[in-house]
Amino acid sequence: MSALDATQAALAAEHAAVYGYGVVGGRIGAERRTEATAAYEAHRARRDALRRAVRDLGGTPVAAEAAYELPFRVAAPADAVRLAAVLEDRVAGVYSDLVRATGDRARAEAAAALREAAVRAVRWRGSDVTFPGLAERAGPVRS
């Protein structure tokens, strides 16, 4: 995968995360609303940075979809928490690909984004995975 393709994929994932956090924010309980808002803002900032990165690589940034299909129905605060964890897992996976496809400063930025997504996923889920961003190796941590 080229750096441009991986950057476009990360941008598309951030578009989906921003959309998803709109749903999360509409269903999350008051006790976690600040956390959801912070995650939403973090994904918006990453999305904007990725748009610039795509242009710097000579591409035209992929546009956001009008709507995204959610992996399950989000009707209650517990569903919103679960969706937030899924969104972070998905973003971490795409940033894992970006780490592999880029070098230097772009790789460091992608690694930081992967780490941030993994930390947010742990906070939402209440547990972690062995290899964040690598779905084929992910599994619960054993003590």
Side-chain angles (χ1 to χ4, degrees):
M1 178 179 283
S2 73
L4 178 57
D5 290 341
T7 305
Q8 289 278 35
L11 175 56
E14 288 293 6
H15 284 312
V18 167
Y19 177 89
Y21 269 103
V23 174
V24 168
R27 296 286 189 259
I28 198 77
E31 69 282 355
R32 298 199 77 180
R33 189 161 292 130
T34 300
E35 187 178 357
T37 300
Y40 173 77
E41 293 299 332
H43 285 291
R44 286 184 61 197
R46 288 279 179 198
R47 177 201 62 195
D48 295 346
L50 286 165
R51 282 181 177 149
R52 289 187 296 275
V54 167
R55 284 189 205 99
D56 290 347
L57 291 169
T60 300
V62 64
E65 301 288 329
Y68 293 85
E69 185 176 343
L70 299 176
F72 49 84
R73 186 169 177 263
V74 181
D79 301 327
V81 169
R82 197 170 107 212
L83 176 60
V86 168
L87 293 171
E88 297 299 346
D89 287 340
R90 288 179 176 182
V91 168
V94 175
Y95 278 113
S96 177
D97 292 339
L98 189 56
V99 167
R100 287 189 291 262
T102 58
D104 300 328
R105 184 167 181 262
R107 177 174 284 160
E109 285 294 318
L114 189 154
R115 182 179 60 249
E116 291 167 11
V119 168
R120 281 191 298 265
V122 167
R123 287 184 181 142
W124 288 118
R125 188 176 17 268
S127 63
D128 59 1
V129 295
T130 305
F131 297 102
L134 299 176
E136 66 275 11
R137 296 184 184 165
V141 173
R142 306 221 192 280
S143 299

